Amino acid sequence: MTYTSHADLGGRDCGDPVIAEPEGLLWHAAWEPRALALTLAMGATGAWNIDMSRSARETLPDYAQLSYYGIWLAALCRMMVERGLVTDEEIDQAQVRVAPRPLSRVLRADAVADVLARGSPTMRDVSAPARFQIGDRVRTRAGHVDHHTRLPGYAAGRVGTVECVHGVHVFADAHAQGLGELPEWLYSVAFEGRALWGDDATPGTSVAIDLWEEYLERA
Amino acid sequence: MAHEHDPHHDHSELDEMDLRVRALETVLAQKGYIDPAALDVVIDTYQTRIGPRNGARVVARAWVDPAFADWLRNDATAAIGSLGYTGRQGEHMVALFNTPAEHHMVVCTLCSCYPWPVLGLPPTWYKSAPYRSRAVKDPHGVLAEFGVALPEGTRVRVWDSTAEVRYLVVPMRPAGTERLDESQLADLVTRDSMIGTGLPKAPAEAA
């Protein structure tokens, strides 16, 4: 089966303008805050990790047609159904038909502040030296991989310069597939506009992208 | 009356989504997976406690306190944490200081990663296809749509936050603000100026 992400939008031709929005406008429908909170609360149960959520969202076949919280809601339902936590019929009929499955945690109201303030740090202890240093020239992996990844398509097979070394972080590609954290060194790699877009690039522009060591080889 | 048909604002669809989310909440609560009171706390937190005024206080502090600015430059997570802003979607922070030579702008082309503890929930445009597709390729064009024209010769560096590092742009302090105190300065710092798609307000605009 071929993995297709519908979320890898960088550099796609999209003539539509960006529509500014005033500060403080958070919701565009009454259900949106509930969808956000349901997603956070179910995420806090530990039934999946955040990289699995991102993978579930980006592979929704109707991703491009859905609103942002529509994507969240569809992915939430999908992950719960896949894990046998609910059935489509239960959601459609608003009725419990199948006994609940045990979850390791439930987010209680009095724990919300602590859970949000703690977050889920992804930095891990260093177990091997970093392969690259600031200033090193590196080339990114070219070609498709059949799973969730954070190397954007527009930066595949391109040469850039290591700009920051961020330490060792949970490797999203592996984490999304349920293979464990497999932490790796994470870098910001800066690409000149020309290296990404050729003659279409605006002079004096560059893009820095956060990339794990596995995506990179010395250029 | 003529108006454009937008599926996301169609009333019957909104009602349908509203019913679906209510149904889901009911089922999950009855199964014991969620505590509806916890949902209320989550929503209230992002409506009243965690939003871009937090980031504005970080920027204003950096403008008035050079030692804090250095701390922010060297260990943004700790410096921001010292003001009480920590956690979800801001576990690993980096501050990007704009200069006359270089302007920073942040995007997440793959989803909508955003520094929640300092900026709150992302605006719709930040999550939209036009911004995510164009910010990396045509930053000047996007800036123009926000009414921002940078001085000739200013380099633009776009940061695509593809991992768990979250970026806060520290805009340059506007001229003519020498007499303002920290809280007045924070009022000049807009959300968009901390994403890099805007500039801080001038003192007269904020008055």
Side-chain angles (χ1 to χ4, degrees):
Chain A
M1 202 172 110
T2 305
Y3 186 97
T4 304
S5 168
H6 304 285
D8 185 6
L9 300 180
R12 296 245 182 117
D13 286 327
C14 173
D16 294 341
V18 179
I19 312 289
E21 193 170 76
E23 223 176 280
L25 180 64
L26 293 179
W27 322 112
H28 296 81
W31 58 270
E32 290 184 348
R34 302 312 284 182
L36 165 94
L38 281 170
T39 301
L40 264 57
M42 284 308 297
T45 66
W48 50 78
N49 66 51
I50 194 165
D51 297 312
M52 292 172 181
S53 311
R54 292 186 175 121
S55 179
R57 289 175 196 154
E58 73 186 9
T59 53
L60 291 169
D62 51 352
Y63 180 94
Q65 283 77 50
L66 293 171
S67 70
Y68 181 71
Y69 288 115
I71 291 168
W72 277 38
L73 190 71
L76 174 64
C77 292
R78 175 181 176 178
M79 289 188 291
M80 289 190 299
V81 170
E82 282 171 358
R83 286 159 180 78
L85 294 168
V86 290
T87 63
D88 284 318
E89 191 191 23
E90 287 178 311
I91 303 171
D92 289 343
Q93 301 182 358
Q95 272 189 351
V96 174
R97 298 290 178 92
V98 182
R101 292 224 167 170
L103 290 171
S104 36
R105 292 182 295 277
V106 171
L107 181 66
R108 299 293 173 197
D110 59 5
V112 169
D114 275 353
V115 166
L116 294 180
R118 213 171 42 243
S120 303
T122 56
M123 200 183 284
R124 298 292 179 262
D125 290 339
V126 172
S127 56
R131 267 185 75 200
F132 305 112
Q133 298 175 359
I134 291 172
D136 283 354
R137 297 282 285 166
V138 291
R139 183 187 304 278
T140 60
R141 178 187 71 204
H144 180 78
V145 291
D146 219 19
H147 53 72
H148 178 76
T149 189
R150 301 295 180 78
L151 172 61
Y154 73 89
R158 306 299 163 122
V159 174
T161 305
V162 174
E163 179 96 1
C164 317
V165 183
H166 292 297
V168 172
H169 286 256
V170 173
F171 185 38
D173 295 40
H175 206 219
Q177 297 176 75
L179 302 175
E181 296 192 338
L182 306 183
E184 278 196 16
W185 284 93
L186 180 71
Y187 307 89
S188 288
V189 179
F191 300 85
E192 286 305 317
R194 175 162 281 278
L196 297 174
W197 319 113
D199 290 342
D200 287 345
T202 309
T205 62
S206 59
V207 182
I209 310 174
D210 292 340
L211 300 172
W212 276 271
E213 198 162 85
E214 182 155 323
Y215 304 153
L216 305 172
E217 60 178 31
R218 210 167 287 279
Chain B
M1 196 171 79
H3 59 91
E4 278 188 275
H5 182 82
D6 179 344
H8 300 312
H9 294 94
D10 184 278
H11 283 292
S12 60
E13 178 166 321
L14 285 188
D15 292 346
E16 195 183 301
M17 287 298 280
D18 201 34
L19 289 174
R20 185 168 170 78
V21 174
R22 280 170 204 247
L24 186 62
E25 185 173 333
T26 302
V27 170
L28 299 186
Q30 286 179 5
K31 289 199 165 198
Y33 298 158
I34 57 151
D35 170 7
L39 306 195
D40 295 336
V41 178
V42 168
I43 294 164
D44 182 66
T45 300
Y46 289 105
Q47 286 183 165
T48 62
R49 288 204 309 108
I50 302 186
R53 292 303 93 207
N54 295 4
R57 284 189 278 272
V58 173
V59 170
R61 176 68 56 85
W63 283 348
V64 299
D65 181 348
F68 183 80
D70 282 344
W71 191 13
L72 190 59
R73 205 183 301 274
N74 296 322
D75 186 352
T77 311
I80 292 168
S82 76
L83 298 183
Y85 313 136
T86 64
R88 186 185 168 85
Q89 291 300 305
E91 292 91 343
H92 308 288
M93 291 294 305
V94 168
L96 305 166
F97 286 72
N98 282 346
T99 67
E102 189 165 48
H103 179 88
H104 297 284
M105 187 169 142
V106 182
V107 64
C108 170
T109 61
L110 297 179
C111 41
S112 51
C113 296
Y114 191 72
W116 289 19
V118 281
L119 297 187
L121 301 174
T124 304
W125 57 262
Y126 186 86
K127 306 174 284 196
S128 72
Y131 185 70
R132 287 161 53 195
S133 60
R134 293 174 49 219
V136 285
K137 190 170 182 181
D138 180 23
H140 288 284
V142 171
L143 285 169
E145 281 161 26
F146 281 91
V148 175
L150 299 171
E152 190 88 13
T154 305
R155 295 192 308 275
V156 176
R157 161 64 56 84
V158 180
W159 295 77
D160 190 353
S161 43
T162 46
E164 294 304 325
V165 178
R166 296 289 172 268
Y167 295 94
L168 177 72
V169 174
V170 181
M172 287 186 288
R173 180 172 174 165
T177 57
E178 296 76 9
R179 287 160 183 249
L180 300 189
D181 66 22
E182 196 174 323
S183 136
Q184 292 169 316
L185 287 169
D187 290 341
L188 304 180
V189 182
T190 62
R191 174 196 63 206
D192 293 357
S193 74
M194 296 181 281
I195 305 172
T197 55
L199 300 174
K201 291 184 238 179
E205 284 179 71

